[in-house]
Amino acid sequence: MEKTEYFIAKTFANLEPLLAEELTQLGAKNCQIMSRAVAFEGDMGMMYRANYYCRTALRILWRQCKFTFANNRQFYEQIFDFPAERFLDARGTMVVHATNVDSIFKTPLFAALLAKDAICDRFRDLYDVRPSVDKDDPDVQFSLHIYKNEAQLFVDSSGESLHKRGYKVSNHPAPINEVVAAAMIQLSGWKGECDFIDPMCGGGTLLVEAAMRALNIPAGFYRRDYGFMRWKNFDSDLWKSVRKEAKIREDVPVNFYGSDINGRFLDIAETNIIKARLKDFVTLKRLDIADTSPVRTPALVMTNPPYGERLQVKDLLELYGTIGTTLKHQYAGCRAFVISSDKDALNAIGLRPSLKKTLYNGSIECRFMGYELFDGDRKEYAKNKKSAE
Ligand SMILES: C[S@@+](CC[C@H](N)C(=O)[O-])C[C@H]1O[C@@H](n2cnc3c(N)ncnc32)[C@H](O)[C@@H]1O
């Protein structure tokens, strides 16, 4: 049996429980929720699986050693003893990133430099050559977490952040992060049982993430590179077998509809959807949200309107007011979810939310709101819903 290893999966604040659920379903052991991360245990296959299948993870770090230290010398020696040659070629490239809280080091940068020196000195002792530092495209990324007198050294198995799924070949100026989009879909409870509509779809992130989810397409299906592929101990047979575990559906009995007022943005969405080979599933149309309605009900509406930060809007409150009236009058029988960083604008929607959650689109703090849309009186609707249950 393969050895059990310790990993940390990183994510955005408030997505930790979703990520822990995903990891558990994939077979991770001892999942522990931390701040913007989930710690878990598993073997190498589990590390590849987490990278390939987790929709809400940003990166997966594999812990190599954990030690206490009282001074620079002890710190240096314990990093020196770590067999970095298992991952890195003597002529390869690397980078060390560090976080540092309450330790003897004044800055994380100093700790990272000392660790880099220790790794390079070990290579020079062993092989007479040392790896070089490449901050932009290193073969191996080390990640040091220092808290007080304790250090943990990780290797970053993901490389580029996992939100870079590989289907975004054309970029919208104000996209939703793919990990946040996947989390919104997970939080809505939608699993592909009804049509999915984004009436302000921009570059199409929510549509692609929803179609991937319904068709069971792994999060990393379109991505070609992962950090672990450049390690000396990369096991390509194991990687192939992990990818073969995917049970992709060929078809689903629902449709995906995207519209936007801006034709240029629809072109971006189309390019991304074609790259994701999802053109047969998604219908795109140039429309003002006020002129949209579902083809059939119930349907799930999910959208990310402009916040007035990266995309300027003439009258944000009026736009959100239009979103509210459109949802109320044209989407009765559907559920709707809206994410925005502007609380006043969200209030202008004028519908009572059934869900409110704080999420982060990268560094932008947002509210994610859910609405049940019904015809007529709320009390009557609640009564009918209860008796139907
Ligand atoms: C924040 S962007 C959506 C980005 C998208 N989620 C993505 O990941 O690429 C908001 C979109 O709303 C569109 N929009 C603004 N006003 C609209 C309206 N009245 N009707 C439909 N779309 C509108 C904009 O053109 C823009 O593409």
Side-chain angles (χ1 to χ4, degrees):
M1 216 177 81
E2 268 212 69
K3 217 171 119 209
T4 299
E5 304 286 348
Y6 178 91
F7 303 96
I8 285 184
K10 293 196 158 192
T11 188
F12 291 120
N14 295 347
L15 303 188
E16 302 90 341
L18 296 180
L19 176 54
E21 195 184 314
E22 283 199 283
L23 286 164
T24 307
Q25 275 173 12
L26 290 172
K29 299 277 178 284
N30 296 331
C31 285
Q32 275 183 356
I33 290 185
M34 302 160 81
S35 166
R36 287 181 283 147
V38 177
F40 66 97
E41 290 175 2
D43 56 16
M44 271 308 83
M46 185 59 223
M47 185 191 75
Y48 290 161
R49 215 170 277 126
N51 271 288
Y52 192 55
Y53 292 97
C54 274
R55 300 188 195 278
T56 54
L58 290 167
R59 55 183 67 246
I60 312 293
L61 306 178
W62 176 16
R63 190 169 71 191
Q64 298 303 308
C65 55
K66 179 180 171 182
F67 58 86
T68 53
F69 60 100
N71 51 46
N72 290 6
R73 181 91 228 143
Q74 284 179 10
F75 177 85
Y76 172 94
E77 280 170 0
Q78 297 196 73
I79 300 277
F80 184 93
D81 286 343
F82 159 65
E85 62 279 5
R86 277 171 44 207
F87 295 90
L88 180 61
D89 193 80
R91 289 194 168 75
T93 57
M94 64 147 181
V95 72
V96 182
H97 296 294
T99 58
N100 176 46
V101 179
D102 287 347
S103 86
I104 56 164
F105 299 123
K106 285 210 173 70
T107 65
L109 187 65
F110 182 79
L113 280 174
L114 196 55
K116 185 265 296 172
D117 285 347
I119 293 169
C120 288
D121 291 350
R122 179 183 174 93
F123 274 96
R124 216 192 315 254
D125 273 16
L126 287 173
Y127 310 106
D128 259 0
V129 265
R130 46 155 283 184
S132 48
V133 171
D134 182 339
K135 289 190 178 120
D136 300 323
D137 188 27
D139 295 330
V140 182
Q141 287 190 49
F142 295 103
S143 190
L144 251 178
H145 295 185
I146 302 168
Y147 179 65
K148 295 192 174 167
N149 63 344
E150 189 177 89
Q152 300 185 70
L153 181 67
F154 295 85
V155 272
D156 182 336
S157 68
S158 306
E160 273 209 296
S161 169
L162 296 173
H163 81 274
K164 297 202 171 173
R165 309 271 205 235
Y167 63 75
K168 284 248 174 100
V169 278
S170 185
N171 288 314
H172 187 277
I176 189 95
N177 182 291
E178 292 80 345
V179 159
V180 182
M184 286 161 61
I185 293 163
Q186 229 157 300
L187 285 168
S188 76
W190 181 86
K191 291 190 178 76
E193 62 284 357
C194 63
D195 290 350
F196 185 99
I197 306 170
D198 182 353
M200 305 174 100
C201 71
T205 319
L206 283 163
L207 294 166
V208 174
E209 291 293 327
M212 285 173 75
R213 164 112 208 190
L215 290 157
N216 225 7
I217 298 173
F221 186 73
Y222 310 103
R223 183 171 155 136
R224 292 287 152 257
D225 299 313
Y226 291 86
F228 57 74
M229 290 176 167
R230 286 161 79 169
W231 295 349
K232 271 171 65 186
N233 53 7
F234 172 48
D235 183 341
S236 62
D237 290 339
L238 180 60
W239 171 235
K240 251 182 235 151
S241 76
V242 162
R243 280 186 305 158
K244 271 200 188 142
E245 290 167 10
K247 294 189 174 62
I248 300 176
R249 293 185 191 107
E250 282 189 7
D251 204 0
V252 275
V254 297
N255 297 314
F256 300 81
Y257 298 97
S259 48
D260 199 288
I261 201 164
N262 187 319
R264 198 163 47 87
F265 294 158
L266 282 173
D267 291 343
I268 294 176
E270 188 173 28
T271 314
N272 294 332
I273 288 162
I274 289 172
K275 172 73 186 176
R277 284 171 260 154
L278 293 169
K279 200 162 164 26
D280 291 347
F281 299 92
V282 188
T283 308
L284 292 175
K285 206 166 181 181
R286 185 171 177 185
L287 284 173
D288 188 313
I289 184 166
D291 301 324
T292 65
S293 56
V295 170
R296 53 184 173 173
T297 55
L300 191 116
V301 188
M302 190 173 283
T303 202
N304 161 221
Y307 314 153
E309 288 186 24
R310 294 176 292 185
L311 281 186
Q312 292 311 312
V313 177
K314 231 193 261 155
D315 189 335
L316 206 61
L317 297 188
E318 190 183 303
L319 175 65
Y320 279 66
T322 305
I323 296 174
T325 355
T326 308
L327 290 178
K328 177 146 188 65
H329 297 296
Q330 282 144 232
Y331 287 88
C334 301
R335 290 192 303 135
F337 294 86
V338 179
I339 189 167
S340 175
S341 66
D342 194 308
K343 286 187 204 158
D344 292 336
L346 282 168
N347 284 337
I349 288 183
L351 300 172
R352 193 192 293 181
S354 53
L355 173 96
K356 261 192 205 177
K357 208 165 166 55
T358 301
L359 297 180
Y360 293 83
N361 185 18
S363 59
I364 306 174
E365 184 182 318
C366 296
R367 295 280 176 282
F368 178 54
M369 315 289 269
Y371 307 95
E372 297 208 15
L373 307 165
F374 50 87
D375 255 335
D377 185 62
R378 169 175 283 278
K379 273 192 193 146
E380 193 63 23
Y381 167 75
K383 210 170 94 193
N384 290 341
K385 195 177 167 198
K386 211 163 177 196
S387 57
E389 282 164 6

